[in-house]
Amino acid sequence: MLLRDRLSEEMKGAMKARDEIRLSAIRLIRSTVKNREIEVRHELSDQEITEVISTLVKQRRESIRLFGEAGRADLVEKEEKELALLLEFLPQQLTREEVEALVVAAIAESGAQGARDMGKVMKVLMPRVAGKADGSMVSALVKEKLA
């Protein structure tokens, strides 16, 4: 099932179940996808929709961190619920060990020698881990391996 169709079905299910939080999160995804389609002037593929959802996940994680620092437990809880729902629409996340193996392979493939070649490694690596791993973790692992 295409991700776009799955989002529609999940939205219908959330409406029938009167699950306001789930419905809100799905509407957020669909509206963000629609805005992105208007920007790029074509219908987004599943991969592009996954990238949009990854961006939303990253925003939620940052919001959780900031609300936590500000002592706003109510907002942290809301964002965590939304984050959990957004993660349902992403592919299975890679473990740290799996990402490390991909990093080592990307370094070998790109012929990177040191930290200044990080861009080469990331260019090879990111299409393989898009939506499956947190970009900041991937970046940290690449820096660690190139150091």
Side-chain angles (χ1 to χ4, degrees), residues 58 61 93-100 102-103 118 122 125-126 129 132-145:
K58 188 176 182 181
R61 286 186 173 137
Q93 298 294 296
L94 297 172
T95 64
R96 183 176 174 87
E97 292 76 27
E98 291 170 328
V99 175
E100 279 185 32
L102 289 171
V103 167
M118 184 172 172
M122 294 299 282
L125 187 60
M126 285 314 287
V129 299
K132 299 177 192 171
D134 181 39
S136 59
M137 178 186 69
V138 173
S139 176
L141 285 172
V142 170
K143 283 179 187 174
E144 180 184 307
K145 296 291 182 187

Side-chain angles (χ1 to χ4, degrees), residues 7-137:
L7 285 167
S8 294
E9 292 302 315
E10 292 280 341
M11 188 169 94
K12 289 175 192 173
M15 287 175 160
K16 288 178 183 175
R18 300 197 188 285
D19 186 347
E20 293 300 320
I21 295 171
R22 185 173 194 78
L23 182 60
S24 171
I26 294 170
R27 282 182 172 157
L28 171 71
I29 295 170
R30 288 180 48 126
S31 68
T32 307
V33 166
K34 189 66 176 169
N35 288 338
R36 183 86 168 125
E37 287 176 342
I38 291 169
E39 282 178 30
V40 297
R41 296 184 179 163
H42 68 82
E43 192 171 286
L44 297 183
S45 67
D46 271 5
Q47 177 64 35
E48 291 169 313
I49 293 173
T50 300
E51 290 171 11
V52 168
I53 295 171
S54 294
T55 302
L56 292 171
V57 166
K58 188 176 182 181
Q59 290 171 350
R60 293 298 159 280
R61 286 186 173 137
E62 180 65 14
S63 295
I64 289 168
R65 185 184 67 77
L66 292 174
F67 290 145
E69 289 173 1
R72 295 293 309 265
D74 56 330
L75 294 175
V76 168
E77 182 181 334
K78 177 185 174 287
E79 293 291 320
E80 285 174 343
K81 287 178 183 176
E82 280 187 12
L83 176 63
L85 291 169
L86 291 172
L87 289 173
E88 288 179 22
F89 294 100
L90 288 178
Q92 181 65 38
Q93 298 294 296
L94 297 172
T95 64
R96 183 176 174 87
E97 292 76 27
E98 291 170 328
V99 175
E100 279 185 32
L102 289 171
V103 167
V104 170
I107 289 172
E109 186 178 321
S110 66
Q113 300 297 317
R116 65 176 178 207
D117 294 331
M118 184 172 172
K120 290 180 188 176
V121 177
M122 294 299 282
K123 187 175 181 181
V124 171
L125 187 60
M126 285 314 287
R128 296 178 188 168
V129 299
K132 299 177 192 171
D134 181 39
S136 59
M137 178 186 69

